[in-house]
Amino acid sequence: MLYTDGTAPQEDKEGSDTPEGCQVAKDSDPSLRPHEFPEGGLAAWATTFGAFLVQLCGFGYTTSFGVYQDFYTQHYLTNETSSAISWIGSLNTFLVTAVGLISGSLYDRGYFYHLVIAGSLLQSFSLFMLSLSKPDQYYQIFLAQGIGLGIASGLVYVPSIAVVSHYFRRRRTLAMTFVASGSSLGAVIHPIMLNNLLNGRLGFGNGVRASAGLVSVLLLIACLCMRTRLDPPITPANYITAARKCIRDAPFLFAIAGGLFFQTGFYYPLFFFQLDSIKHGLSITFSFYSLVILNVSNCVARVTSGFIATFTGVPNLIIVATISGGVLTLGMIGLSSLASVVVLGVMYGYFAGLYIAMIAPLVATLTPDLSELGARMGICFFISGFGSLIGTPISGALLTSNYIWWIPALFSGVS
């Protein structure tokens, strides 16, 4: 039998010169018994906290693109259509998951520290480059925010989630949902900060630089906190082999297909909710906080999802979340008042949070061999990520310059 790190159990040798007390101490140290999981401790929770910060700065920043969508549409890229602008955010989102195909494989081969350090440096660099972009220079923003920031977040996304499995088995879902809540907290902090900076005295350049400074500091703390515990497997998971196993794994295939369709419509509220509120005559101040309302509810969902999943099971909970998210997206057709924004924001944010929080635990649940966890996460996130790539540009094209809101809402809700 092999352990998750690829090693075999060692039998105790009789007549060992090791004193009995030292032997007991050695056996009581979880770090020296890789087949057993600490389920806690300083290193475990420090790593979990570091992964939480990575999600806050990575996916949390990506899902705050609704602020940029509104700002670019009305002020900074006025010559571009909503669909063209949404390509920046959708490519960013797609690369976060698509690059996971590479970072997941490298993670399985023991390159965890290389990935998180390189990803953190690239994310900081990309944000500072974004701050130097000029008005109506679409290609500059597309390169820095769409491509650079997307690749950077993708390098750290899968490793920061998967490393938690080094320390937890019984409490893995709870730990992973805590990590996932980092992105929703980031999606609360970043919109508040960006709306006040971009539309305030600092303007675009200095506002983005201030945001980049905060992200850089948090990523530095994350890199200092996270540590691996298990050695990489002797024979790393092969993507071709893992893919062949996935083809014969019906539940895993349905999970991927569901993720693909759901992510096609998932980001429409996140990208267009603030702009939708403004165009329906709500006050600009309140509209700035519409995304915050959605993401606060999203954060609550991610924190509580681990506890709910212990009673419902991960697959059941994610099914409820996807159905409810689709129905509520259709409900955006009726958005017209302050009350409707609050109700839709709270309810959609909660079920969207349940969905995001359950993706990683679902993949872990459907992975019989943990040595393939990085590969399976990469495959799942890569394929389902195509939904996020095409979803919002299609929604933006359906919206048109006349802002016909019911068409993209119908498309996204049905997806």
Side-chain angles (χ1 to χ4, degrees):
M1 180 185 71
L2 294 181
Y3 297 147
T4 55
D5 63 343
T7 61
Q10 301 293 323
E11 297 180 358
D12 294 333
K13 296 181 179 180
E14 294 183 4
S16 173
D17 294 330
T18 306
E20 184 178 354
C22 293
Q23 184 65 41
V24 171
K26 179 179 178 180
D27 289 346
S28 63
D29 186 354
S31 65
L32 300 178
R33 294 179 295 170
H35 60 292
E36 296 184 10
F37 292 80
E39 302 293 349
L42 179 60
W45 290 115
T47 298
T48 304
F49 178 68
F52 170 87
L53 291 180
V54 168
Q55 296 299 310
L56 186 150
C57 297
F59 211 69
Y61 205 95
T62 296
T63 52
S64 303
F65 184 77
V67 176
Y68 284 105
Q69 178 80 31
D70 175 33
F71 186 80
Y72 292 155
T73 301
Q74 300 195 79
H75 305 292
Y76 216 67
L77 295 174
T78 53
N79 295 330
E80 303 294 337
T81 65
S82 295
S83 179
I85 292 171
S86 66
W87 271 109
I88 300 170
S90 66
L91 180 62
N92 184 330
T93 305
F94 170 71
L95 287 175
V96 172
T97 54
V99 174
L101 197 65
I102 300 172
S103 62
S105 177
L106 292 175
Y107 165 81
D108 286 339
R109 286 164 170 76
Y111 290 98
F112 172 78
Y113 297 108
H114 304 76
L115 290 167
V116 296
I117 292 173
S120 298
L121 290 174
L122 181 58
Q123 184 168 351
S124 179
F125 175 77
S126 298
L127 282 175
F128 280 109
M129 288 299 99
L130 176 63
S131 71
L132 299 177
S133 62
K134 303 300 180 183
D136 293 318
Q137 297 299 311
Y138 180 83
Y139 78 95
Q140 295 179 354
I141 297 174
F142 187 84
L143 289 174
Q145 189 169 14
I147 298 177
L149 201 59
I151 293 174
S153 299
L155 289 175
V156 298
Y157 181 60
V158 170
S160 65
I161 296 176
V163 74
V164 175
S165 65
H166 281 208
Y167 295 92
F168 300 94
R169 171 174 286 170
R170 179 173 51 84
R171 305 170 71 181
R172 184 177 297 148
T173 298
L174 182 62
M176 282 186 169
T177 51
F178 171 74
V179 172
S181 69
S183 59
S184 57
L185 180 61
V188 172
I189 295 173
H190 296 308
I192 294 175
M193 183 177 184
L194 289 170
N195 270 319
N196 284 282
L197 293 177
L198 300 183
N199 297 282
R201 295 181 179 179
L202 288 182
F204 182 80
N206 290 328
V208 175
R209 278 189 284 274
S211 176
L214 173 65
V215 168
S216 300
V217 170
L218 293 179
L219 287 175
L220 175 61
I221 296 172
C223 290
L224 295 174
C225 286
M226 291 187 294
R227 293 290 182 271
T228 58
R229 186 181 74 91
L230 304 176
D231 295 328
I234 297 173
T235 305
N238 184 288
Y239 269 93
I240 297 177
T241 303
R244 287 174 179 170
K245 290 183 180 179
C246 292
I247 292 174
R248 296 190 296 269
D249 190 342
F252 192 74
L253 288 178
F254 277 109
I256 293 175
L260 174 65
F261 282 105
F262 189 77
Q263 290 200 44
T264 301
F266 173 74
Y267 289 96
Y268 168 70
L270 297 176
F271 281 23
F272 291 95
F273 201 50
Q274 179 171 312
L275 182 62
D276 195 350
S277 301
I278 291 175
K279 292 299 181 181
H280 276 91
L282 301 183
S283 70
I284 294 179
T285 302
F286 176 78
S287 297
F288 282 172
Y289 287 92
S290 59
L291 275 180
V292 175
I293 293 171
L294 188 154
N295 287 311
V296 166
S297 180
N298 192 295
C299 186
V300 172
R302 298 193 195 198
V303 172
T304 58
S305 60
F307 299 99
I308 300 173
T310 58
F311 297 99
T312 63
V314 172
N316 293 332
L317 184 57
I318 202 168
I319 289 170
V320 171
T322 52
I323 294 173
S324 302
V327 171
L328 290 166
T329 303
L330 291 173
M332 287 189 66
I333 296 173
L335 188 149
S336 59
S337 63
L338 187 149
S340 63
V341 170
V342 172
V343 172
L344 286 170
V346 170
M347 294 186 68
Y348 183 81
Y350 190 82
F351 287 107
L354 291 179
Y355 168 80
I356 290 295
M358 288 296 104
I359 291 179
L362 180 66
V363 176
T365 301
L366 299 176
T367 302
D369 182 2
L370 278 182
S371 67
E372 296 180 347
L373 181 59
R376 286 212 173 200
M377 279 190 176
I379 292 170
C380 179
F381 294 162
F382 175 74
I383 297 175
S384 62
F386 279 99
S388 62
L389 176 65
I390 64 174
T392 49
I394 292 174
S395 297
L398 294 174
L399 181 61
T400 72
S401 58
N402 296 321
Y403 298 106
I404 306 173
W405 290 102
W406 71 268
I407 299 178
L410 180 62
F411 165 76
S412 301
V414 171
S415 298

